[in-house]
Amino acid sequence: MEHTHFTYEAWENSLIIHMPREIDHHNCRNMKRDTDLLLEENYINCIVFDFTHTEFMDSSGVGILLNRYKQMDASRGRAVYYGAGPQVKRILEMAGIGRLMNGYATREEALNG
């Protein structure tokens, strides 16, 4: 089964978003809608992106990360990521995400960072 959907997990005041294998404009619309609702209905002060299974991300994925970073920054929260492999790390660095969000190797580091 291809991993193409986002799954979400709450941990204290954090929202963990488990990213799919491929992040593109098709599935980013769903993530935006879902996270808009989750952020409206819950007190979230940290968004954690889990890239453990992600192999590909296009500019739509970069856009949604920037959007969620700005949203957290405006409310004095934070956005971080973990589990990014070499290809995803390269995309994040090229897009400037690495200057905005801290990246961690593990979930525990990201949640406690």
Side-chain angles (χ1 to χ4, degrees):
M1 180 175 152
E2 190 171 321
H3 184 76
T4 58
H5 299 288
F6 297 89
T7 57
Y8 307 94
E9 178 183 355
W11 186 82
E12 295 182 0
N13 292 334
S14 296
L15 173 63
I16 303 164
I17 303 172
H18 302 284
M19 308 297 266
R21 185 173 69 81
E22 294 187 2
I23 304 167
D24 58 25
H25 69 281
H26 295 292
N27 56 17
C28 277
R29 280 180 283 163
N30 294 335
M31 182 219 194
K32 181 178 182 338
R33 182 194 66 233
D34 294 346
T35 56
D36 281 345
L37 289 172
L38 289 165
L39 292 170
E40 259 179 45
E41 296 173 354
N42 301 282
Y43 176 71
I44 303 293
N45 66 5
C46 180
I47 295 178
V48 178
F49 295 97
D50 168 12
F51 285 107
T52 304
H53 300 289
T54 305
E55 297 173 7
F56 170 81
M57 181 170 59
D58 70 7
S59 60
S60 299
V62 170
I64 198 89
L65 291 175
L66 287 171
N67 179 277
R68 294 306 171 211
Y69 165 80
K70 288 177 184 176
Q71 197 168 15
M72 285 291 100
D73 190 53
S75 63
R76 298 184 188 257
R78 65 189 189 107
V80 299
Y81 67 90
Y82 74 92
Q87 187 171 350
V88 171
K89 276 186 187 176
R90 188 175 62 230
I91 292 166
L92 295 173
E93 291 303 317
M94 287 184 349
I97 300 287
R99 292 189 307 269
L100 303 174
M101 290 185 197
N102 289 330
Y104 299 92
T106 67
R107 169 191 168 110
E108 291 72 28
E109 291 172 339
L111 288 168
N112 297 318

